[in-house]
Amino acid sequence: HKDKEALNLTTRQQEILHILSAKPLNAAQIIAQLEENPSIRTIQSDLAHLETMGFVKREGKARAMVWKLIDVK
């Protein structure tokens, strides 16, 4: 069922998942790896959407927080 949901993701959200597949990163590090350089707000919104859909989760608090992929088995 994850594949069907993936079709509803924007290109940028799919790119975020690809970036996070390498290692957990914070929002600023994710932005640095994206081609279009979106705002932090945009990325936070994308990450919240991906979290709601069960693709990613947050770890840590405040400035030490990173995002990581949820392993799908």
Side-chain angles (χ1 to χ4, degrees):
H1 96 118
K2 290 275 185 220
D3 290 339
K4 280 201 177 100
E5 289 177 350
L7 298 175
N8 295 330
L9 298 178
T10 64
T11 304
R12 187 179 57 245
Q13 289 166 347
Q14 291 175 24
E15 210 179 330
I16 290 170
L17 291 177
H18 179 72
I19 290 168
L20 288 176
S21 68
K23 65 181 181 186
L25 298 170
N26 66 31
Q29 292 167 319
I30 293 169
I31 290 171
Q33 293 193 40
L34 288 169
E35 288 184 22
E36 65 204 41
N37 234 334
S39 72
I40 188 86
R41 277 264 165 253
T42 300
I43 290 304
Q44 287 170 336
S45 169
D46 282 340
L47 288 166
H49 179 70
L50 292 169
E51 184 179 37
T52 302
M53 293 179 78
F55 286 110
V56 300
K57 65 181 178 182
R58 341 168 172 224
E59 283 192 353
K61 287 196 164 83
R63 297 181 71 75
M65 187 176 77
V66 294
W67 291 87
K68 66 182 290 184
L69 281 188
I70 292 175
D71 290 330
V72 180
K73 299 214 162 54

